[in-house]
Every structure is written in structure tokens, then in C-alpha cells.
Amino acid sequence: MGYSRPLLFFILPIILGLHAPGIADDDDNGVCTLTADYCWSCSGTNETFNNGSIYERNLDTVLSSFSSNKTEINSGFYNSSLGQGPEKVNAMALCRGDVPLNDCHTCFNESISILRQNCTNKKQAIIWAQRCTVHYSNVSIFGVAEDDPVKFVPGPTNTSNAEEFKLVLNPLLETLSEKAAAGDSTTKFAAGHALVPANQTIYAIVQCTPDLDLQNCSDCLKDAISDIPKCCEGKKGGRVLRPSCNLRFESNLFYDAASDSLVNLPGKQGNNTSNITTKVSPSSFLGLLLSLCLSSAFAFS
Ligand SMILES: *[C@@H]1O[C@H](CO)[C@@H](O)[C@H](O)[C@H]1NC(C)=O
Ligand SMILES: *[C@@H]1O[C@H](CO)[C@@H](O)[C@H](O)[C@H]1NC(C)=O
Ligand SMILES: *[C@@H]1O[C@H](CO)[C@@H](O)[C@H](O)[C@H]1NC(C)=O
Ligand SMILES: *[C@@H]1O[C@H](CO)[C@@H](O)[C@H](O)[C@H]1NC(C)=O
Ligand SMILES: *[C@@H]1O[C@H](CO)[C@@H](O)[C@H](O)[C@H]1NC(C)=O
Ligand SMILES: *[C@@H]1O[C@H](CO)[C@@H](O)[C@H](O)[C@H]1NC(C)=O
Ligand SMILES: *[C@@H]1O[C@H](CO)[C@@H](O)[C@H](O)[C@H]1NC(C)=O
Ligand SMILES: *[C@@H]1O[C@H](CO)[C@@H](O)[C@H](O)[C@H]1NC(C)=O
Ligand SMILES: *[C@@H]1O[C@H](CO)[C@@H](O)[C@H](O)[C@H]1NC(C)=O
Ligand SMILES: *[C@@H]1O[C@H](CO)[C@@H](O)[C@H](O)[C@H]1NC(C)=O
Ligand SMILES: *[C@@H]1O[C@H](CO)[C@@H](O)[C@H](O)[C@H]1NC(C)=O
Ligand SMILES: *[C@@H]1O[C@H](CO)[C@@H](O)[C@H](O)[C@H]1NC(C)=O
């Protein structure tokens, strides 16, 4: 007689030790630390390199340039390729748009050590930290909108008024997305807040890797917004993390106040305390864009 299949399914994960300790969850799309300060993914591929290989050497060289303070600070985005053919490493590192450039290397450094420890010998890996993202692959990743992996990080708290909340959250994110997509080849980031009736504020950021063109950035963020019901339905906060773009919203100011501004949404007509009486049409935001301030708010030297 064969093995009992249900029994095997129950026992196999235990034998294989698949329940890694110290992580909040575990699925194909990635894992996070308990506090979700870092989320990463390297499980979507079987492609590995050997210790001492040229690939490993190239990877270490590229990654250490990202975390070195000697690397020139010009924007929060770094990309680099090293090597030939199968040994070629492609990597990029992106700081959140409001983070002072002087802090980027530190975020890269911490993120890279977590990746190298938890994605041992994987040719492809990505980590989303609170303040930066690092991604490497043997496949070219520049200028390409990637759909995999996607990691959802819902916040812990429910909203008390999910419907009203959604009526503000979606247009807020759509407005910010248009602004971010219109950014230049060094920065595609937007941040801002909007007010929900019943005395609530939503703070949000959206960001694309700036190697994407306007259309790919816009499409990526559109997909991220459409993931919100799956990710964070009814939550006061959450993050949708993709390789090429990400979004985050919270009920508190979680980014640099210098990057903050009130985003006026259609139907509210600038009266921030007014009740929402107009149904919001997602297609009516383009006109608003022109009135948005496009300054990228890097106010330091
Ligand atoms: C990884 O390997 C496993 C078993 O060897 C296989 O079932 C799976 O499809 C592979 N995944 C990829 C992405 O190649
Ligand atoms: C590479 O070395 C690390 C320890 O530094 C070890 O955990 C890992 O299994 C080794 N990988 C291979 C493919 O030998
Ligand atoms: C991170 O920085 C420390 C020094 O502060 C350095 O020793 C280490 O090699 C760096 N890690 C990476 C991955 O670059
Ligand atoms: C880089 O500089 C920051 C401060 O600007 C410092 O905290 C950090 O330790 C430095 N990192 C390295 C690897 O020297
Ligand atoms: C980095 O990205 C830019 C586009 O933003 C591209 O032109 C450049 O070739 C990339 N760098 C490398 C080393 O591939
Ligand atoms: C990731 O690496 C850290 C540090 O080595 C370790 O504590 C943690 O258990 C690792 N997590 C996973 C899922 O392997
Ligand atoms: C990436 O590495 C895997 C495994 O070594 C290989 O099958 C694949 O062709 C590589 N892709 C590229 C673009 O080199
Ligand atoms: C948009 O992304 C796709 C892949 O996702 C890529 O083939 C295309 O070239 C990109 N568009 C531009 C204009 O770069
Ligand atoms: C939050 O909402 C979900 C479903 O919308 C519900 O299952 C859960 O119990 C709620 N949590 C709290 C703390 O109210
Ligand atoms: C908004 O207006 C509706 C009726 O138009 C009312 O039922 C609701 O209580 C009002 N909400 C607030 C927060 O004033
Ligand atoms: C709105 O909320 C803030 C802080 O949560 C509180 O200080 C203020 O009194 C509230 N205002 C009203 C009208 O409820
Ligand atoms: C905005 O709405 C509030 C409450 O409905 C009202 O008291 C206030 O006068 C309005 N402000 C403007 C500029 O219309």
C-alpha cells in the first residue's frame, strides 16, 4: 500500500523545516521580519550560483558599491551591471523618495546583508525595506516593468468607515501615481495626504524605479492600486510591494514632512472638512495634475 497522501502533506513541511522561525508569514511571494521592517523574496527561482564563483564575486562587487559611502551621491537610484554572459549580474538599489541621500547607503547596507544571509546562493533576489529597495538578477531588469513577485503588507488596524475611506484612498493614490509617473529618469516618487470625513487623514506614497518610462510606471502603479482589495481591504494602512513600483498608506505621517502636501481630490473642491457628496470618478484626475507641485523635495546638500 502507498503512503497516505494527506499524511504526507502534513508531515513533509515539518521534515523539510519549511516553517522558518522569526518571520511574520511565508508564501511564494516573500517573507517579512515580524515588524515588517524588511520583506524579501528569492523563492520564485531555482537559479543558484556556487560559492567562490565569478557570479558571486560580481554580485559582491556590485552590491558593495551600493552600500559604500564612496559611491557618488546624486540621486536615490543606483543601477549597475557586471560580468559577461552567464556570469553577468544586474542590480539596482532605490531609496524611498523622501529619504535623505546620506541615509541611503546605510539602508542599502542593512538590506543587502539580510538578502545575502537569507537568499544564500540565489541568483535573483529582492528586498523591500521601509526606506529602500535592493534587487539583483542574472536577467536584465533595467527599464522592464516586472510583475513578480508581489508582496502584500496589510497594516494591523481596521478602519471604522471602510467605504468612505476607500472613496478617498483610491483617488489619492491615483493622483499621486500620475505625479510620480511624470517624474524624470532619476526620481519617480510622490507623497501626500488627504482627509476622510469623520476626522481621519490618509498619508500615502507611491514610487517607481525611475528607469521605467511614464507608461510603464503608471501601469505598474495602477496594478498596485488594484491589488489593495487583496492586500489591505478595510485597513487603515498597508503596502503593496512590486519589483518596479510600490505604494504605502497609513493614518499617520510616516514619511518626511518636507515631502508632504495636501492633495485636493475631485469632489472635495478644496474644502477639506466637507462631507463627500459627489461620487468620485477615477478618470477625472488628469486635469488636476497640472496644478500639482512637481518639486522633488530633496532639500539638503
Ligand atoms: C524549482 O524546482 C522544483 C523541484 O525541483 C520545481 O517543482 C519547480 O517548478 C522549480 N521552480 C522553478 C521556478 O523553476
Ligand atoms: C555557501 O556557503 C554558505 C556559508 O557561507 C553555505 O551556507 C552554503 O550552503 C554554501 N553554498 C553552496 C552552494 O555551497
Ligand atoms: C556594511 O557596512 C559595513 C561597515 O559599516 C561593512 O563592513 C559591510 O561590508 C557592509 N556590508 C555590505 C553588504 O556592503
Ligand atoms: C556611511 O555614512 C553614514 C553617515 O553618513 C554612517 O552612519 C555609516 O556608518 C557609513 N557607512 C559606512 C559603510 O561607512
Ligand atoms: C541604468 O539604467 C539606465 C536607465 O535608467 C540605463 O541607461 C543604464 O544603462 C543602466 N546602467 C547599467 C549599468 O545597465
Ligand atoms: C534571515 O537571516 C537572519 C539573520 O541571519 C535570520 O535570523 C533569519 O532567521 C533569516 N530568516 C529566514 C527566513 O531565513
Ligand atoms: C540565469 O541563470 C539560469 C541558471 O543558471 C540560466 O538558466 C538562465 O539562462 C540565466 N539567465 C540569463 C539571462 O543569463
Ligand atoms: C515597458 O515595459 C516592457 C516590459 O514590461 C518593455 O518591454 C517595454 O520596452 C517598456 N517600455 C518602454 C518604453 O521602455
Ligand atoms: C478587521 O476586519 C476583518 C474583516 O473585515 C475582521 O475579520 C477582523 O475581525 C477585524 N479586526 C478587528 C480587530 O476588528
Ligand atoms: C455625509 O452626508 C451624508 C448624507 O449626505 C450623511 O448621511 C453622513 O452622515 C455625512 N457624513 C459626515 C461625516 O458628515
Ligand atoms: C480629530 O482628531 C484629533 C486627533 O485624533 C483630535 O485632536 C481632534 O479633537 C479631533 N477633532 C474632532 C472634531 O473630532
Ligand atoms: C468647509 O466646510 C465646513 C463644514 O462643512 C464649513 O464650515 C466651511 O465654511 C467650509 N469652508 C469653505 C472654504 O467653504
Side-chain angles (χ1 to χ4, degrees), residues 164 197-198 275-277:
E164 283 174 329
N275 197 345
I276 292 188
T277 52

Side-chain angles (χ1 to χ4, degrees), residues 93-264:
L94 177 66
C95 225
R96 205 174 70 193
D98 63 306
V99 171
L101 295 178
N102 285 321
D103 295 346
C104 292
H105 295 304
T106 306
C107 185
F108 296 157
N109 181 292
E110 287 162 2
S111 300
I112 288 164
S113 23
I114 290 171
L115 264 194
R116 296 291 273 116
Q117 283 173 46
N118 289 280
C119 297
T120 322
N121 300 108
K122 293 287 184 148
K123 281 191 172 178
Q124 305 179 3
I126 184 166
I127 183 164
W128 300 274
Q130 300 252 18
R131 286 152 65 89
C132 72
T133 301
V134 177
H135 184 191
Y136 55 80
S137 177
N138 70 325
V139 177
S140 177
I141 51 178
F142 303 118
V144 182
E146 290 183 90
D147 293 330
D148 272 346
V150 184
K151 181 69 186 162
F152 300 147
V153 188
T157 316
N158 286 351
T159 55
S160 52
N161 50 342
E163 280 315 309
E164 283 174 329
F165 193 86
K166 208 177 344 180
L167 280 176
V168 174
L169 177 61
N170 283 353
L172 171 61
L173 291 171
E174 283 158 8
T175 303
L176 292 174
S177 294
E178 297 289 351
K179 184 181 171 190
D184 63 21
S185 65
T186 64
T187 311
K188 286 191 166 61
F189 171 79
H193 70 271
L195 294 128
V196 185
N199 195 24
Q200 256 186 304
T201 305
I202 307 176
Y203 296 90
I205 56 174
V206 303
Q207 185 164 28
C208 293
T209 62
D211 56 318
L212 293 193
D213 63 2
L214 186 150
Q215 191 60 51
N216 276 348
C217 174
S218 169
D219 290 348
C220 185
L221 288 170
K222 225 171 262 166
D223 289 343
I225 292 170
S226 68
D227 282 335
I228 288 176
K230 275 182 279 171
C231 160
C232 315
E233 183 75 28
K235 297 296 180 189
K236 274 187 178 173
R239 280 180 272 170
V240 176
L241 305 171
R242 292 174 155 260
S244 300
C245 70
N246 63 79
L247 65 82
R248 178 174 184 179
F249 63 95
E250 302 287 349
S251 55
N252 61 303
L253 180 62
F254 62 95
Y255 48 82
D256 189 338
S259 297
D260 190 35
S261 65
L262 174 68
V263 177
N264 285 318

Side-chain angles (χ1 to χ4, degrees), residues 10-126:
F10 180 67
I11 289 176
L12 213 56
I14 298 171
I15 296 171
L16 294 176
L18 290 182
H19 287 279
I23 50 176
D25 56 4
D26 190 338
D27 60 53
D28 280 352
N29 283 329
V31 294
C32 295
T33 54
L34 273 177
T35 47
D37 287 333
Y38 300 91
C39 299
W40 64 91
S41 173
C42 44
S43 57
T45 175
N46 291 333
E47 293 161 7
T48 56
F49 58 82
N50 291 321
N51 288 335
S53 64
I54 301 173
Y55 192 91
E56 180 178 55
R57 220 160 54 221
N58 289 340
L59 182 61
D60 283 339
T61 304
V62 166
L63 295 181
S64 61
S65 77
F66 290 160
S67 37
S68 163
N69 278 351
K70 289 191 206 114
T71 301
E72 197 189 339
I73 289 176
N74 41 26
S75 79
F77 179 62
Y78 302 83
N79 66 350
S80 187
S81 295
L82 188 60
Q84 302 291 323
E87 315 299 345
K88 184 170 180 179
V89 173
N90 305 287
M92 53 172 73
L94 177 66
C95 225
R96 205 174 70 193
D98 63 306
V99 171
L101 295 178
N102 285 321
D103 295 346
C104 292
H105 295 304
T106 306
C107 185
F108 296 157
N109 181 292
E110 287 162 2
S111 300
I112 288 164
S113 23
I114 290 171
L115 264 194
R116 296 291 273 116
Q117 283 173 46
N118 289 280
C119 297
T120 322
N121 300 108
K122 293 287 184 148
K123 281 191 172 178
Q124 305 179 3
I126 184 166

